[in-house]
Amino acid sequence: MNSSKISVITSCYTMDRLRDITELIDSLHAQSYGNLEIIVVTERSQDLTEGIKKHIQSNGYLNVKVVCNEADWGLSSSRNLGVRNASGQ
């Protein structure tokens, strides 16, 4: 049976939330559903983006994308950017 891909999109905007985001990524990655894509959108924070990327690389997570929203601020804008970066399969 071929299971549909699920894309989980979350956004974050400050470095003090790095621990929360990495715990969220760990929790999602530990789910039993295998066809999962995790997209994390950061808002104008290169430090946060790099911190998340380091966590992803150190854990070998292949199903996680990190996208930095440099253009527009706001939750809706970040969610829309995440949707545009979803694989849609």
Side-chain angles (χ1 to χ4, degrees), residues 16 43 75 86:
D16 64 335
E43 288 195 12
L75 187 56

Side-chain angles (χ1 to χ4, degrees), residues 41-50 53 67-74 77-78 81 84:
V41 182
T42 62
E43 288 195 12
R44 297 184 186 185
S45 176
Q46 283 303 116
D47 290 341
L48 181 58
T49 302
E50 291 305 313
K53 285 182 179 180
V67 181
C68 188
N69 184 1
E70 295 286 346
D72 299 313
W73 277 42
S77 174
S78 291
L81 181 60
R84 286 193 300 273

Side-chain angles (χ1 to χ4, degrees), residues 7 21 29 39 46 49 80:
S7 297
I21 291 298
H29 197 268
I39 301 171
Q46 283 303 116
T49 302
N80 290 335

Side-chain angles (χ1 to χ4, degrees), residues 6-59:
I6 294 177
S7 297
V8 177
I9 301 168
T10 189
S11 62
C12 52
Y13 54 91
T14 61
M15 190 64 179
D16 64 335
R17 302 307 292 200
L18 178 61
R19 182 174 180 208
D20 295 334
I21 291 298
T22 57
E23 287 177 359
L24 172 67
I25 292 168
D26 293 342
S27 177
L28 288 169
H29 197 268
Q31 298 300 309
S32 61
Y33 191 82
N35 201 4
L36 185 69
E37 170 185 52
I38 303 165
I39 301 171
V40 180
V41 182
T42 62
E43 288 195 12
R44 297 184 186 185
S45 176
Q46 283 303 116
D47 290 341
L48 181 58
T49 302
E50 291 305 313
I52 295 168
K53 285 182 179 180
K54 285 180 186 176
H55 180 75
I56 291 166
Q57 289 172 350
S58 69
N59 288 286

